[in-house]
Amino acid sequence: MRFRPLASVGAGLLLAATVLLPASPAAAAPTFKVPFPCGQSWSGQTRTNHSPAYAVDFNRTDDQGDPVVASAPGTVDVVTDLGNTSYGRYVRINHGSGYTTYYAHLSSFNTAVGRTVGYGTVIGYVGSTGGSTGPHLHYEQRLNGSDIQVRFNGTLALYWGTRTYTSDNACSGGTGSGTVNTAGSPLTVRSGPGTGYSSVGTVADGAGVTIHCQTTGTTVTGTYGTSNIWDRIGSGRFVSDAYVYTGYDGFIPGVPRC
């Protein structure tokens, strides 16, 4: 195996005077999805000597640099690099009610602290940073800081062993994300999917954007080649995909067409 365990991360009952309050119900867990784009199949391994014990390591052939997506909606609250130890580059998403997810050993990030993410939002890319001995994604679900057994669509992952998981993350539509790369100049935002539409502002080079849908329009040659794909980054706000790094050469899986 090419995985290495992580270091660690006397009374009577006075009915007339006593009011019995019902216990507060435990908050329902989010519906977590496999943390990869719609339709992809990955081998997920669990093992008793893993740290923490309930984490899942995901692999597939030639997975270095493959996109990693949010497994449920939430807010990114950690984006950090621990160097050559432990998680290496990792992201944590806070899903509310005490639930968080961890995505570790990333080669690079595609998100920032404070960013709101949805199903299918790309947050980073598979790598081998930290205590890893080969490319893979180390994935965790936690409740109030303690690791819990991973579930996808409410179904318990296999403990202990290896199983193939096929993602249905954002298959019915979601958002994507990208990073603007113009080699220094601001990127013009248009009111529609083409250079003939009016300018409604700019996005700075290096800025992250949330992509709500994609469509075709004017063909543009930019940092990432020639493309007729345009990304809607807000109401009446479109940018050419030729200047946005999304991790895909074409349409982003799971992101709806405008």
Side-chain angles (χ1 to χ4, degrees):
M1 273 303 158
R2 53 182 179 149
F3 309 121
R4 178 184 300 168
L6 296 175
S8 329
V9 242
L13 190 60
L14 304 179
L15 296 177
T18 303
V19 177
L20 299 178
L21 298 177
S24 299
T31 300
F32 292 112
K33 305 284 187 178
V34 174
F36 298 103
C38 175
Q40 291 187 1
S41 293
W42 287 74
S43 175
Q45 182 199 67
T46 59
R47 58 189 188 277
T48 56
N49 67 343
H50 209 170
S51 177
Y54 296 140
V56 179
D57 276 342
F58 283 103
N59 262 124
R60 70 175 187 170
T61 303
D62 297 326
D63 55 7
Q64 174 74 33
D66 282 355
V68 175
V69 307
S71 60
T75 302
V76 175
D77 63 359
V78 174
V79 178
T80 195
D81 185 354
L82 300 180
N84 295 324
T85 63
S86 189
Y87 294 90
R89 295 189 179 99
Y90 80 97
V91 170
R92 186 177 72 186
I93 300 175
N94 187 330
H95 305 281
S97 300
Y99 289 93
T100 55
T101 50
Y102 286 65
Y103 311 77
H105 303 315
L106 301 175
S107 61
S108 59
F109 304 120
N110 192 57
T111 193
V113 171
R115 187 165 295 172
T116 298
V117 295
Y119 288 118
T121 302
V122 179
I123 58 170
Y125 303 92
V126 173
S128 186
T129 59
S132 169
T133 57
H136 70 284
L137 176 69
H138 172 99
Y139 173 82
E140 299 174 24
Q141 294 173 2
R142 294 195 182 198
L143 176 59
N144 297 325
S146 299
D147 70 307
I148 57 176
Q149 291 187 326
V150 167
R151 294 177 183 269
F152 297 119
N153 295 319
T155 300
L156 185 66
L158 174 65
Y159 290 95
W160 308 92
T162 301
R163 171 183 289 169
T164 298
Y165 299 87
T166 299
S167 176
D168 67 347
N169 196 326
C171 288
S172 60
T175 60
S177 62
T179 303
V180 173
N181 183 355
T182 58
S185 302
L187 177 61
T188 300
V189 180
R190 301 285 180 177
S191 62
T195 55
Y197 289 87
S198 61
S199 171
V200 292
T202 60
V203 178
D205 181 30
V209 293
T210 297
I211 300 169
H212 300 279
C213 63
Q214 295 180 296
T215 188
T216 55
T218 305
T219 298
V220 173
T221 298
T223 308
Y224 299 108
T226 300
S227 176
N228 66 346
I229 298 175
W230 286 73
D231 305 327
R232 184 171 73 80
I233 61 171
S235 179
R237 294 172 59 81
F238 291 80
V239 293
S240 170
D241 192 66
Y243 288 101
V244 182
Y245 182 72
T246 64
Y248 298 91
D249 292 331
F251 289 103
I252 303 172
V255 173
R257 303 290 180 92
C258 300

